[in-house]
Amino acid sequence: MDSINRWQDRLEMAVGIWLCIAPWALVLPQAAAWCSVAVGVAVILLSGEDFFLPNQMEEWGNAVLGAGLMISPWAWGYADSAAATANAFISGFLVSGFAFWALERLFMRYEESHRVKPS
């Protein structure tokens, strides 16, 4: 499990960095800015930790963060800002997608390693 999700971790970190700078790059409303930075920092921390201590729990955490980010425009009331809504939805989709991609690969590797070989 140590090298199977390295690409996904790097991609998740890139999205996390984007989320941290997006409030200034896109001039987001205050609620969207706080949500973007908070989720961005959490994604960076989880991906960084998963990079050094691989475990599926970080991927599940990123999947939940991505899903939460996708619904945040309606939950926090900034859905009227097209840029903020698009940023939240696309970034959340990417974070969740990369997390599920890593989980799928981990489960495939687990199944292959525990397959009973016919004698």
Side-chain angles (χ1 to χ4, degrees):
M1 186 161 72
D2 55 358
S3 66
I4 194 150
N5 58 352
R6 296 290 186 195
W7 281 106
Q8 292 89 345
D9 293 333
R10 289 180 182 139
L11 294 170
E12 287 168 346
M13 286 182 116
V15 176
I17 291 168
W18 164 252
L19 286 168
C20 289
I21 63 172
W24 295 276
L26 299 176
V27 189
L28 299 178
Q30 186 175 8
W34 279 105
C35 186
S36 181
V37 171
V39 172
V41 168
V43 167
I44 291 169
L45 290 174
L46 284 174
S47 298
E49 196 272 334
D50 194 33
F51 201 38
F52 296 107
L53 299 169
N55 187 337
Q56 67 173 322
M57 292 309 295
E58 289 80 15
E59 299 304 340
W60 284 111
N62 276 336
V64 169
L65 285 171
L69 188 59
M70 285 190 284
I71 64 168
S72 68
W74 296 275
W76 295 105
Y78 62 88
D80 56 336
S81 171
T85 301
N87 180 58
F89 192 79
I90 293 168
S91 298
F93 183 79
L94 290 173
V95 169
S96 291
F98 295 143
F100 284 125
W101 180 21
L103 285 168
E104 185 263 338
R105 293 188 62 191
L106 289 172
F107 290 139
M108 283 180 48
R109 179 177 269 189
Y110 177 82
E111 287 176 1
E112 288 174 4
S113 67
H114 288 80
R115 187 173 297 149
V116 176
K117 296 179 176 129
S119 344

